Each structure stands twice: as structure tokens, then as C-alpha cells.
Amino acid sequence: MVARRRKRAARDPREEIPSPSGYSAIPIKFSEKQQACHYLYVREHRVRGGTDSSWPQKRTLFVLNVPPYCTEDCLSRLLSPCGPVQSVDLQQKPDLAESPKEPKSKFFHPKPVPGFQVAHVVFQKPSGVSAALALKGPLLVSTDSYPVKSGLRKWISDYTDSVLDPEALRVEVDTFMEAYDKRIAEEDAKAKEEDGVPDDEGWVKVTRRGRRPVLPRTEAASLRVLEREKRKRARKELLNFYAWQHRETKMEHLAQLRKKFEEDKQRIELMRAQRKFRPY
């Protein structure tokens, strides 16, 4: 029994870490005070032959089980001892293509992915991936030099960030709309130049623009068009041909009679009130 206990104590603690097949486990801690470790599971990013991937081969590290408090900057800092990091991309699930990078904005930013995530870490050199696979831990997420807010401090920070400056927001929206209008004007000018011009094979691209510019349709014009289409369909229909048409015709006739009866009652009441009612 004593010898068995000594063998267990002599084992490498990394061998007892459960990890998926083909992955290496890197223990991390939120801070020095934390005793329990969280594990990142990493491997070199590989794809099957004939499959296209936007991630560079032999320089990309695929990371599983990334906690919510670990941001892209934080993950880049944790893996920077292995070599210079080119980019870090967090995703909700693995993808062969890199997610499109939108310009960062203080007011408009994508909603963060809730829960645990996966990451693709691209190093500048292939040696960075090999060093990350052999990385020992535990690594600290929050340090004195790079503190990570949590708990009540994080809630206060999130609330403070949610209070927007109206003037700064207006400036950013105006800047975005100016760039958008400029892009739309350039696209319209390019489409106008290509309108009716055949390509190398003699084909002419058909666009929405015609030779005669059409005025934008107003609400009244739309109602007139709908009424015209309704009358056209009514002329084509066979009246009182089906049983349901007989029923609908009778119901419409009864509704008209009731409506006329109510109108007559109101008219008679009005004439009585004005003393102009002479039935004979």
C-alpha cells in the first residue's frame, strides 16, 4: 500500500489531466488567490486534404474551452511567451474561415458570445505553435500589471460604459452616414457607366434602371394601382358560379341592406330633431 501511494505521488500531475485525444492541456488561473485550475485544450490547426481554410497552416493554434473572462488581448498575452502573436480570433464554434473584421466602435460593437468559446491563435512563426503545445502552467489571467475586472467591479464598469455621450454618438453616426452615402454614390455612378454597355462576350447586364427614369410611387398611387388590379380581377371572375359565391353575394347584399337601414334611421332621427319630418 505504501509503495502504491509513493508511485501515485511520483506521477506527473499533467498526466492525470483529462483531455480530448490529440489535445494538450494548459492550466490557467484567474488570479494567484485561486487554487483550482481551468484548462485550455490546444492543438495545431489542421484541415483535411482538399479543404480550404483561411487560417495559415503550421502557424495557427486551435484552442478549446476558453472561459468568458478571457478576451482576445488576454489570450494573446498568455501565449506571447511562446512567440510573437499575429492575431487572435474568438468564435462560438469552430469555423474554417476567419470571421470578418468590422471597424471597432465605442458605441456599436457586436454582442459578446455568452459562455465558453473557441479560439484561433496565429503566430508569426511556426515555432510559436510548438512552444504553446509544450507550455507549462498554471498561467495567470489577472495580474497586478494586467488586472481583469470581475464581480461588482465589472458590473459597475459595464453600466458606466452603457451610458453614452449624445454628442460623440451623433458625430460617429454622421461620419458613418457620410461614408455610406459616398459609397452608394460611387456604386450608382459605376452602375450608370456600365448600363447598356456590352461586356467582352457581347452580353448586356440588365439593371433596375431603365431609359426613362420612374418617379417614386406614393401611397395614393399605390392605392390606385391596387384598386385597378382588384377591378381587373373582378372582371375576370365568374360571378355566382360556385356555391360559396352565392353565399358571399347574399351576405354582402344583407350587409348593404342593414347599412342602408341604419343610415335611413339616422336620417329620420335628424329630420325629426329639425322638425322637417313629413311622412305624408
Side-chain angles (χ1 to χ4, degrees), residues 3-264:
R4 191 175 299 175
R5 289 177 183 174
R6 288 177 180 174
K7 287 182 179 179
R8 289 178 181 175
R11 287 179 183 174
D12 187 2
R14 288 176 62 89
E15 296 179 358
E16 300 179 359
I17 300 173
S19 60
S21 177
Y23 288 82
S24 300
I26 301 177
I28 63 172
K29 288 183 177 181
F30 182 78
S31 62
E32 293 181 354
K33 298 179 181 179
Q34 187 178 6
Q35 297 181 357
C37 290
H38 179 84
Y39 294 96
L40 301 177
Y41 301 108
V42 298
R43 68 171 175 83
E44 183 182 349
H45 174 69
R46 299 190 187 93
V47 294
R48 297 177 181 176
T51 306
D52 296 331
S53 176
S54 62
W55 306 107
Q57 299 296 320
K58 297 183 180 180
R59 292 195 298 115
T60 304
L61 184 72
F62 180 61
V63 187
L64 286 178
N65 204 29
V66 181
Y69 52 80
C70 192
T71 61
E72 294 180 352
D73 296 336
C74 179
L75 196 59
S76 176
R77 177 174 55 81
L78 292 177
L79 298 176
S80 59
C82 304
V85 178
Q86 179 177 329
S87 64
V88 178
D89 188 24
L90 291 173
Q91 296 177 338
Q92 188 173 7
K93 57 183 180 179
D95 195 0
L96 294 178
E98 188 175 0
S99 57
K101 294 292 183 182
E102 297 181 357
K104 291 186 178 181
S105 170
K106 182 181 178 181
F107 306 100
F108 305 100
H109 48 79
K111 187 177 181 181
V113 178
F116 290 82
Q117 308 168 74
V118 301
H120 290 84
V121 182
V122 181
F123 290 92
Q124 294 183 4
K125 298 180 180 179
S127 58
V129 176
S130 305
L133 295 176
L135 190 63
K136 305 290 184 180
L139 307 177
L140 296 180
V141 176
S142 179
T143 60
D144 295 336
S145 303
Y146 301 95
V148 177
K149 295 178 181 179
S150 63
L152 189 60
R153 292 181 179 178
K154 187 175 186 306
W155 292 344
I156 295 174
S157 176
D158 292 343
Y159 174 76
T160 305
D161 295 340
S162 66
V163 180
L164 306 180
D165 182 8
E167 184 62 25
L169 178 61
R170 184 189 63 79
V171 171
E172 180 159 347
V173 170
D174 291 344
T175 305
F176 175 83
M177 292 306 301
E178 288 177 1
Y180 175 79
D181 293 339
K182 183 178 179 182
R183 187 175 77 250
I184 294 298
E186 291 175 354
E187 292 177 357
D188 291 345
K190 185 178 179 181
K192 204 174 284 186
E193 291 177 359
E194 297 177 353
D195 190 13
V197 179
D199 56 8
D200 298 337
E201 299 180 357
W203 294 95
V204 178
K205 184 179 179 181
V206 179
T207 60
R208 292 180 297 174
R209 297 177 178 82
R211 295 181 180 178
R212 299 179 180 177
V214 181
L215 294 175
R217 182 177 294 179
T218 60
E219 185 177 358
S222 301
L223 292 176
R224 286 197 298 270
V225 171
L226 291 176
E227 189 66 27
R228 194 182 306 123
E229 292 293 331
K230 186 177 179 181
R231 289 198 300 269
K232 189 183 295 184
R233 286 196 302 267
R235 286 197 300 268
K236 292 181 180 179
E237 289 180 356
L238 296 175
L239 300 178
N240 298 331
F241 184 77
Y242 298 100
W244 60 271
Q245 288 180 330
H246 284 283
R247 289 196 301 270
E248 287 189 356
T249 304
K250 290 180 180 178
M251 292 174 64
E252 290 178 0
H253 183 61
L254 288 174
Q256 291 177 0
L257 290 177
R258 290 193 183 99
K259 183 179 178 182
K260 191 173 183 305
F261 178 69
E262 293 296 332
E263 290 176 354
D264 291 343

